């Protein structure tokens, strides 16, 4: 049988721990005389997590644990981190700088992360797409996207 | 009959018809692009769904569903890469035909077979769904609970990969669904003192995050490459009468297989297309042609995967249990527009149900027409690069999440679930059981509560009612079968 990566073992242990936490939390909720009450459903979910986490842990230990850490391709993961970072920065500033300023910046930076080096192409696509989406949502769908509100 | 006529009248109203055409075109384009799926397409259209009435939104989504099923065959034939998993078997004979300079003929046969599959599945949907729904009208709380359990176990079992991880995904969905006020006592659960969490999570940001944003992150991780060289030449697209007649038998066979597979919750086009392909090879007069450019080898899987569309809608509409990943996303979309699929839908809103039935028929004709039309320009569509597309998809996701309540909070939730979805994919957790857990969790809890209250806390009610017992046995059988298959495979 092939050895399983360490992450498989961690998954099992984490699931079981989550199950225990959910189970303990569910016991703090008020029980009902009839029916399952507020905590009954969570108790069941907690038990399911404990059982499945236990099975995952046992299965991994039975087949043996391989490498101590899972393989990470730093360059590829960096791209994902950058994608997430651009989204986070976009959301933090969206309320103040508005959709029309922030969205082209988001598109251009994400295109750069994806490997597009033709800046003029990125800028033109970003501006056109932002304007089309802005017009469509504010004028047709009546969704009022955030506007510049620093002053 | 009255409802059918009224359904067709609704479908042919300008707004519904145009949006249906839009859905079909979007579906074909999305399906044709490797890496974009029907479920992603539905999520991208959700901001639009919000603004529409239930029936119009549904026919548009059905158009997208059917269009994406067909669209997958275009890249399978031209690029040797199926646009969707459901077109995986089309590669086997489609690409050899394209290499022989017959790409147009292959796409033409694919359009015709998809049309046959779609028509057969629409007929089955129209006749089977109402019968199943009238049967389901006898369901009581205990039966609904058992049905929810069945839906969760079947979807987890059919997700592929590790069974334990699939069930953990379902359990995570159930946990996410429990955030907010308890539906019976009104006590807050897992809200951590946040008033925003009191109403729980909306399904839309979860769908956007888990299916679409996580897909963008996966694509960023998988490296860059152009989608197509765009050099494929498209010759005569519309097949001759003789060619259509030669593949009709296997197309009909594929369609029936597709419908039957589609009805089984948790399965889908990927299973149906290979099953139909293998049977077609066995019954064909020219089995040696299979794998080298057989028209029957394209017709059978294409009819089968389009057959699953109507088949998958049968359990979704009549029982509220989705037949596959796309219908589980569609179910989430329907909940957004205030439509709760299930047997009561047929009683409370028959007009909507028959609009879908009528729409499914019209969609097949639109798909045939646009299929022939798009075949000629498809190499150009396939040239749009992923590097440009993905950032634009992110923006649509952000705006879609924002449009729920004009709040940036929902966009944060989408990004949060996007990161969660990415980690799930990385560690081999399927996303579909999680979504089904979120959708079915509240139904399961509410009916479990109701059944126990009515029976005076006696769990025997789940075993003494025949329907409930039937679904529990099916759930157990599904789990045992999956464990057995897993053990045999290893």
């Amino acid at each position: 049988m092939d050895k399983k990566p360490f992450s498989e073992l961690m998954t099992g242990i984490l699931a079981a721990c989550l199950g225990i936490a959910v189970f303990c939390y569910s016991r703090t909720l008020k029980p009902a005389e009839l029916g399952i009450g507020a905590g009954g459903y969570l108790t069941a979910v907690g038990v399911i997590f404990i059982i499945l986490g236990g099975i995952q842990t046992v299965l991994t230990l039975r087949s043996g644990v391989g490498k101590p850490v899972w393989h990470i391709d730093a360059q590829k993961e960096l791209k994902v981190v950058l994608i997430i970072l651009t989204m986070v920065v976009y959301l933090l500033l969206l309320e103040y700088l508005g959709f029309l300023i922030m969205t082209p910046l988001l598109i251009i930076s994400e295109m750069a992360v994806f490997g597009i080096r033709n800046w003029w192409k990125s800028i033109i696509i970003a501006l056109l797409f932002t304007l089309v989406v802005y017009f469509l949502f504010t004028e047709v769908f009546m969704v009022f996207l955030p506007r510049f509100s620093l002053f | 009959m009255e409802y059918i006529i009224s359904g067709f009248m609704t479908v042919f109203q300008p707004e519904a018809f145009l949006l249906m055409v839009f859905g079909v075109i979007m579906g074909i384009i999305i399906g044709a692009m490797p890496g974009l799926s029907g479920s992603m397409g539905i999520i991208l259209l959700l901001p639009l769904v919000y603004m529409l009435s239930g029936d119009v939104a549904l026919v548009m989504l059905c158009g997208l569903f059917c269009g994406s099923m067909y669209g997958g065959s275009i890249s399978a034939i031209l690029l040797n890469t199926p646009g969707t998993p459901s077109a995986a078997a089309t590669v086997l004979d489609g690409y050899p035909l394209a290499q022989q300079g017959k790409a147009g003929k292959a796409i033409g046969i694919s359009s015709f077979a998809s049309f046959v599959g779609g028509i057969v599945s629409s007929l089955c949907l129209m006749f089977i769904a109402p019968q199943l729904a009238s049967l389901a009208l006898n369901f009581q709380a205990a039966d609904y609970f058992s049905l929810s359990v069945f839906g969760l176990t079947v979807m987890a079992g059919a997700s592929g990969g590790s069974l334990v991880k699939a069930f953990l995904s379902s359990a995570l969905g159930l946990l996410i669904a429990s955030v907010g006020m308890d539906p019976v006592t009104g006590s807050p659960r897992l809200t951590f003192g946040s008033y925003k969490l009191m109403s729980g999570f909306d399904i839309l940001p979860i769908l956007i995050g888990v299916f679409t944003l996580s897909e963008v992150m996966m694509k960023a991780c998988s490296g860059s490459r152009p989608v197509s060289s765009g050099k494929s030449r498209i010759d005569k697209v519309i097949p001759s009468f003789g060619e259509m007649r030669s593949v009709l038998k296997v197309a009909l066979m594929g369609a029936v297989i597709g419908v039957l597979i589609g009805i089984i919750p948790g399965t889908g086009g990927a299973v149906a297309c290979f099953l139909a392909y293998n049977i077609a090879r066995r019954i064909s007069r020219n089995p040696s042609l299979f794998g080298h450019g057989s028209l029957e080898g394209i017709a059978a899987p294409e009819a089968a995967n389009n057959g699953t569309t109507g088949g998958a809608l049968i359990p979704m509409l009549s029982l509220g249990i989705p037949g596959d990943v796309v219908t589980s996303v569609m179910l989430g979309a329907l909940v957004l527009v205030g439509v709760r699929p299930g047997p009561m839908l047929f009683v409370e809103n028959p007009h909507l149900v028959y609009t879908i039935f009528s729409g499914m028929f019209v969609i097949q004709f639109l798909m045939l027409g646009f299929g022939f039309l798009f075949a000629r320009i498809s190499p150009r569509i396939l040239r749009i690069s992923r590097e440009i597309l993905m950032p634009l998809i992110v923006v649509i996701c952000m705006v879609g999440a924002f449009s729920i309540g004009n709040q940036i909070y929902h966009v944060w939730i989408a990004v949060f679930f996007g990161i969660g979805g990415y980690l799930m994919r990385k560690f081999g957790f399927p996303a579909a059981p999680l979504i089904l857990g979120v959708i079915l969790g509240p139904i399961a809890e509410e009916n479990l509560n109701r059944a126990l209250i009515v029976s005076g806390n006696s769990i025997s009610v789940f075993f003494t009612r025949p329907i409930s017992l039937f679904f529990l046995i099916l759930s157990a059988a599904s789990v045992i079968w999956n464990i057995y298959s897993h053990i045999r495979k290893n």
Side-chain angles (χ1 to χ4, degrees), chain A residues 41-42, chain B residues 170-181 183 189-190 199-201 206 434-443 445:
Chain A
Y41 174 79
L42 275 178
Chain B
S170 291
L172 197 59
L174 295 175
L175 185 65
I176 292 165
S178 70
V179 174
M181 302 251 276
R189 292 186 306 197
L190 297 168
S199 54
F201 291 114
I206 302 176
L434 179 132
I435 296 299
L436 210 59
V438 175
I439 293 169
L440 294 181
I443 300 173
E445 183 183 9

Side-chain angles (χ1 to χ4, degrees), chain B residues 49-206:
Chain B
V49 166
Y50 252 119
M51 317 296 154
L52 305 171
S53 60
D55 47 1
V56 175
L58 249 171
V59 289
M60 181 182 74
L61 295 182
C62 286
L64 191 139
F65 183 22
C66 297
S68 69
M69 214 41 117
Y70 158 71
S73 70
I74 296 176
S75 54
I77 291 164
L78 296 179
L79 302 179
N80 199 21
T81 308
T84 57
S86 305
T90 311
V91 169
L92 302 173
D93 282 285
Y95 190 62
L97 269 174
Q99 282 180 312
Q100 293 162 24
K102 296 174 187 168
K105 188 186 273 188
I107 294 176
I109 287 293
S110 161
S111 307
F112 172 69
S114 298
F115 171 75
V116 173
I119 289 289
V120 171
S121 79
S122 306
L123 276 171
C124 293
L125 173 67
M126 188 176 262
F127 288 110
I128 299 173
Q131 307 303 325
L132 196 59
S134 66
L135 191 75
L137 278 176
N138 301 318
F139 284 18
Q140 290 183 4
D143 307 326
Y144 275 113
F145 170 73
S146 304
L147 181 62
S148 306
V149 172
F150 171 64
L152 287 169
T153 52
V154 170
M155 181 59 98
S159 299
S162 161
L163 191 62
V164 180
K165 285 184 180 177
F167 276 112
L168 275 170
S169 275
S170 291
L172 197 59
L174 295 175
L175 185 65
I176 292 165
S178 70
V179 174
M181 302 251 276
D182 162 47
V184 178
T185 62
S187 323
R189 292 186 306 197
L190 297 168
T191 54
F192 306 105
S194 161
Y195 76 93
K196 282 188 172 170
L197 286 177
M198 291 288 265
S199 54
F201 291 114
D202 261 288
I203 185 81
L204 179 59
I206 302 176

Side-chain angles (χ1 to χ4, degrees), chain B residues 108-358:
Chain B
I109 287 293
S110 161
S111 307
F112 172 69
S114 298
F115 171 75
V116 173
I119 289 289
V120 171
S121 79
S122 306
L123 276 171
C124 293
L125 173 67
M126 188 176 262
F127 288 110
I128 299 173
Q131 307 303 325
L132 196 59
S134 66
L135 191 75
L137 278 176
N138 301 318
F139 284 18
Q140 290 183 4
D143 307 326
Y144 275 113
F145 170 73
S146 304
L147 181 62
S148 306
V149 172
F150 171 64
L152 287 169
T153 52
V154 170
M155 181 59 98
S159 299
S162 161
L163 191 62
V164 180
K165 285 184 180 177
F167 276 112
L168 275 170
S169 275
S170 291
L172 197 59
L174 295 175
L175 185 65
I176 292 165
S178 70
V179 174
M181 302 251 276
D182 162 47
V184 178
T185 62
S187 323
R189 292 186 306 197
L190 297 168
T191 54
F192 306 105
S194 161
Y195 76 93
K196 282 188 172 170
L197 286 177
M198 291 288 265
S199 54
F201 291 114
D202 261 288
I203 185 81
L204 179 59
I206 302 176
L207 286 172
I208 288 174
V210 170
F211 278 105
T212 313
L213 289 179
S214 69
E215 183 65 33
V216 172
M217 293 172 200
M218 288 301 286
K219 290 283 183 286
C221 206
S222 65
S224 60
R225 64 176 173 82
V227 176
S228 160
S229 62
K231 282 179 185 163
S232 307
R233 193 173 60 85
I234 301 296
D235 51 6
K236 187 174 156 261
V237 177
I238 299 173
S240 68
F241 183 71
E243 284 167 343
M244 286 194 271
R245 209 175 57 178
S246 71
V247 299
L248 188 61
K249 192 174 117 189
V250 288
L252 285 170
M253 177 275 299
V256 173
I257 289 173
V259 173
L260 294 176
I261 295 283
I263 291 173
I264 303 168
T267 56
V271 180
C273 68
F274 278 107
L275 191 62
Y277 183 83
N278 284 330
I279 295 176
R281 187 166 51 184
R282 270 187 227 153
I283 63 169
S284 170
R285 283 184 191 163
N286 300 307
S288 59
L289 264 180
F290 277 70
H292 304 285
S294 162
L295 291 182
E296 288 175 307
I298 295 173
E302 278 306 305
N305 65 32
N306 271 77
T308 58
T309 53
L313 286 173
I314 293 172
M316 190 197 87
L317 287 174
S318 52
L319 303 175
I321 302 286
D324 62 4
V325 178
V326 185
T327 41
S328 67
V329 176
M330 208 188 272
L331 187 66
L334 289 183
V335 174
L336 286 176
V337 289
V339 177
R340 175 67 74 176
M344 286 310 288
L345 186 67
F346 287 72
V347 179
E348 290 167 354
N349 206 343
H351 172 75
L352 182 132
V353 174
Y354 281 87
T355 302
I356 298 166
F357 293 166
S358 316

Side-chain angles (χ1 to χ4, degrees), chain A residues 106-107 110-111 114 122 125-126 128-130 133, chain B residues 44 216 384-398:
Chain A
L106 173 76
I107 297 174
E110 297 230 333
M111 279 184 180
F114 269 97
S122 301
I125 292 172
L128 281 177
F129 191 73
T130 304
V133 170
Chain B
L44 293 178
V216 172
I384 301 171
S385 82
R386 175 195 293 176
E387 290 73 18
I388 292 174
L389 208 58
M390 290 298 148
L392 307 185
I393 286 174
V394 169
V395 173
I396 298 174
C397 289
M398 298 283 177

Side-chain angles (χ1 to χ4, degrees), chain A residues 8 11 25 33 35-36 38 41-42 49 52 76-77 79-80 87 91 99 107 110 114 116 137 141 144 146, chain B residues 47-48 51 165 174 178 189-190 220-221 387-388 394-395 398-399 402 411 422 426 429 441 449 452 457:
Chain A
E8 297 285 298
T11 306
Y25 174 77
E33 274 181 34
I36 55 172
Y41 174 79
L42 275 178
F49 266 111
L52 291 171
K76 285 180 178 173
E77 298 300 335
K79 277 188 173 184
V80 178
M87 287 183 200
L91 290 180
F99 182 84
I107 297 174
E110 297 230 333
F114 269 97
I116 294 216
F137 276 84
F141 300 154
F144 298 104
Chain B
L48 181 59
M51 317 296 154
K165 285 184 180 177
L174 295 175
S178 70
R189 292 186 306 197
L190 297 168
C221 206
E387 290 73 18
I388 292 174
V394 169
V395 173
M398 298 283 177
V399 177
F402 179 83
V411 193
Y422 170 73
K426 270 287 198 197
F429 287 84
N449 229 330
L452 286 176
N457 274 357

